Amino acid sequence: ILGDLGNSHRRLGAHARALEFQRRAMTMRQSLGDRAGVAVALGCMGSLYTDLGDYAKALEFDAQALRLHEDLGNQAEVAGVLQHMGGVYRRMGEYEKALDCLARAFNATKDVGAIDLDVRGLWGVAQTLHASGRSRCSAAGAAASSRRAPPGTGPGAAARRWAGGGCRWRWCRRS
């Protein structure tokens, strides 16, 4: 419940209050030995610090969440944290680090079967490539996310509006 209250305050723009609730949720989960819950709270705090523009602190919390999720073997959560980290690096203008995180996220989803994670990851790659000036590659990434998304949903629908043609991009050829 504390984490949910933190998420609600984040949506309201009350970031200081949201951080307070996430810290309390993390403390409670630590006392219960709930490592997965601790990792989720850390990831939420990373997102809050991203909202506040404190990217170094966001990456610090994300790295802690990533280690816990990796230790627990939760590949879907690993992918989600890596995607968030990729977005933070993109905002910082560190495009190669962003692409590295997104590639690791994409690889983490191989055995999970979560198409939504694949689509979000490919869309993040497209955004990163576009931001770095590699628009031709970004169109290929958007087209790939479009092909993986259910019709009319998520970033795939947006990708269909502006990306076209076949994709020769190596990430799209995952078997």
Side-chain angles (χ1 to χ4, degrees):
I1 291 180
L2 291 170
D4 290 338
L5 287 169
N7 293 334
S8 295
H9 279 83
R10 178 183 181 204
R11 283 189 291 277
L12 294 171
H15 291 86
R17 190 87 167 124
L19 280 167
E20 178 186 325
F21 278 113
Q22 292 298 346
R23 280 190 192 102
R24 289 173 57 193
M26 185 183 70
T27 301
M28 183 175 67
R29 289 174 173 156
Q30 282 174 328
S31 70
L32 296 171
D34 178 7
R35 295 176 68 212
V38 170
V40 168
L42 288 166
C44 288
M45 286 190 278
S47 294
L48 283 161
Y49 280 110
T50 300
D51 292 349
L52 294 169
D54 191 342
Y55 300 137
K57 198 146 200 138
L59 290 170
E60 178 185 318
F61 279 96
D62 282 345
Q64 292 175 56
L66 180 63
R67 279 191 298 276
L68 278 173
H69 285 307
E70 286 174 335
D71 288 349
L72 294 167
N74 189 341
Q75 292 304 99
E77 293 293 334
V78 166
V81 172
L82 285 166
Q83 287 175 358
H84 183 259
M85 292 173 79
V88 173
Y89 281 122
R90 182 180 65 247
R91 287 176 181 91
M92 295 171 67
E94 296 188 36
Y95 303 120
E96 293 307 314
K97 287 182 180 179
L99 290 171
D100 178 61
C101 285
L102 293 167
R104 289 173 55 203
F106 193 66
N107 287 329
T109 64
K110 280 182 183 175
D111 299 324
V112 176
I115 291 174
D116 63 319
L117 288 171
D118 282 352
V119 171
R120 280 197 327 244
L122 288 169
W123 188 248
V125 169
Q127 290 175 313
T128 302
L129 291 170
H130 181 74
S132 70
R134 294 184 261 181
S135 295
R136 187 171 190 202
C137 293
S138 72
S145 72
S146 174
R147 284 194 299 275
R148 291 188 187 279
T153 62
R160 278 190 283 282
R161 288 194 292 273
W162 64 274
C167 181
R168 295 175 194 41
W169 196 30
R170 68 178 172 84
W171 287 27
C172 302
R173 292 186 236 143
R174 185 179 83 183
S175 52

